[in-house]
Amino acid sequence: MKAQPRASHFIDGAYVEDADGAAIDILYPATGETIARVHAATPAIMERALESARAAQADWAARRPVERGRILSRAAQILRERNRELSELETLDTGKPLQETLVADAASGAEALEYFAGLAPAITGETIPLGGDFAYTIREPLGVCVGIGAWNYPTQIACWKAAPALATGNAMVFKPSELTPLCTLRLAECLVEAGLPAGLFNVVQGAGAVGGALVSDPRVAKVSLTGSVPTGQKVYASAAEGIRGVTMELGGKSPLVIFDDADLEDAVGGALLGNFYSAGQVCTNGTRVFVQRGVLERFLDRAAARTEAMVMGDPMDEATHIGPVISAEQMEIVLGYIESGRAEGARLVTGGGRAEGFGAGFYVRPTIFADVADEMTIAREEIFGPVMSVLAFDDEDEVVARANALPYGLAAGVFTRDLARAHRMVARLQAGTCWINSYNLTPLEMPFGGAKLSGVGRENGHAAIEHYTQIKAVHVGMGPVDAPY
Ligand code: NDP
């Protein structure tokens, strides 16, 4: 099998196998062929992973932050040096085109490691004068953190969680999606090669049950999940039992608002990137594209023409723009939504079904619906596939109310040349991450996360530090103890 890892799990600095765990076959989404087989973690494997993380963490936390940073910087350099090899593996794992994985996955992971490596030594406490006495604070690591990933960005998700966790002195046990188990193992190898002590980043495979068991273990101090809202609700509830901290990066149905004064080609570009990148499997995608009525037909013409010119094909060919979705099951879900769009009266502008000519690959044609009404299923539910819904609007108040009407709040975008309006809009939009005249750019310096049902906590930026540390406050008495007895 062409992508078979050396073993299923990576624990205490080495690959570990336990064939007693349920077998998981890994399919290459472009062809449907089996490219690897891993085994789900047994209780014995989870025990080893958690125990080695627990044992390694105290020494790591005691090191100088600059030393931790140096190791993470080295890991970033290794990811960059191996970018092509890691990108090809990401493409096999997910089916995303190499054109994307070469710039968006190991590269983003390396940036996360670099960013938090640099930040680690700059994290300090404060001193608080109290007259004669004083207090000071220490930002301490939490201990053992669990990371659980979705299948769309396996390398990036693992790095966005591991980099701040490790930089601040924690250990992490990571469970990738059972659909994409390969990249995270390679990341663990790179970290150890960079000098990360054994046990600080362990990878265990499995489906939801393995994630569930990790989350409820008493040794675990914090859980960071990237996944759907229903999974988030379960994991959050389980973490609450042990009063564990959480970061929840969940799903959305984000609005992208295009005013009639916008640069139309830029707006079309933003909408295409925000719906078809990674075959539409991006949590922040602007899948409700609100277009002001005056430019609606011009927008649709240009969006359709540019979509029809996209190259769909072999993800390993760097000319390919759009590849398959992750699995046969996901393809059926997406095709079901396309059917519901048609059945509920939306106008199909382009696409609309499975792409022919790709054998058993899970290819869905990039699809644009116009005349979409707010009540339609395709305008309310996260599809997680290449389906854009275009809705017409007339004025600002109306579009803000409609954009905010759903329970999600992950992201939002505005295209307009009127900057006062742009800032007024983002102030009113209920979303954790907003873009003005751009879409889906997530530089590491910028905090990332959702409002409402789309999540709690933030990844990236200085904000992530707060979610992987806790404050210890220390009061220092400088005079005699004033006891009344
Ligand atoms: P899922 O919610 O199905 O799964 C996410 C992860 O959680 C997987 O590793 C899954 O395991 C695991 N899991 C499932 N059930 C449990 C449980 N009870 N306890 C612990 N872990 C569990 O999401 P998908 O993998 O289908 O990813 C798509 C979703 O992720 C979309 O909703 C998307 O919007 C969201 N997402 C959010 C992002 C963000 O940053 N906000 C970024 C990327 C995606 P397994 O699947 O192996 O069974």
Side-chain angles (χ1 to χ4, degrees), residues 184-337:
T184 330
L185 292 170
R186 202 61 74 79
L187 171 67
E189 264 183 57
C190 295
L191 285 164
V192 166
E193 201 178 317
L196 188 75
L200 290 171
F201 184 72
N202 294 331
V203 179
V204 297
Q205 310 293 351
V210 170
L214 293 173
V215 170
S216 56
D217 190 277
R219 281 165 289 199
V220 171
K222 188 229 159 75
V223 182
S224 178
L225 169 80
T226 297
S228 61
V229 172
T231 302
Q233 286 163 327
K234 281 187 225 155
V235 171
Y236 204 168
S238 163
E241 299 230 335
I243 318 289
R244 293 182 185 97
V246 294
T247 299
M248 293 278 147
E249 295 290 353
L250 308 178
K253 188 76 190 174
S254 301
L256 169 55
V257 181
I258 296 170
F259 286 94
D260 59 10
D261 68 338
D263 179 311
L264 198 67
E265 282 305 311
D266 280 351
V268 169
L272 297 182
L273 283 170
N275 277 274
F276 300 145
Y277 204 73
S278 303
Q281 303 162 110
V282 179
C283 52
T284 43
N285 269 356
T287 47
R288 289 184 294 149
V289 183
F290 291 95
V291 182
Q292 207 163 14
R293 213 172 294 274
V295 289
L296 181 62
E297 288 308 321
R298 272 204 299 141
F299 172 87
L300 289 171
D301 285 349
R302 288 301 299 144
R306 287 174 63 174
T307 299
E308 284 155 16
M310 285 169 70
V311 179
M312 178 175 253
D314 174 3
M316 287 294 177
D317 180 344
E318 280 182 52
T320 294
H321 295 127
I322 186 156
V325 297
I326 188 73
S327 63
E329 188 190 355
Q330 186 64 18
M331 180 174 70
E332 290 308 323
I333 290 171
V334 176
L335 295 176
Y337 278 111

Side-chain angles (χ1 to χ4, degrees), residues 148-152 157 175-179 206-208 211-212 215 225-229 231 234-235 249-252 283 382 384 410 448 454 459:
I148 301 177
W151 38 258
N152 57 347
I157 290 170
K175 188 202 86 66
S177 163
E178 64 178 317
L179 298 174
V215 170
L225 169 80
T226 297
S228 61
V229 172
T231 302
K234 281 187 225 155
V235 171
E249 295 290 353
L250 308 178
C283 52
E382 184 181 46
F384 229 57
L410 187 54
F448 176 82
S454 295
E459 296 193 309

Side-chain angles (χ1 to χ4, degrees), residues 48 63 136 166 180 224 278:
R48 279 173 74 177
R63 293 199 190 191
Y136 65 95
L166 295 172
T180 54
S224 178
S278 303

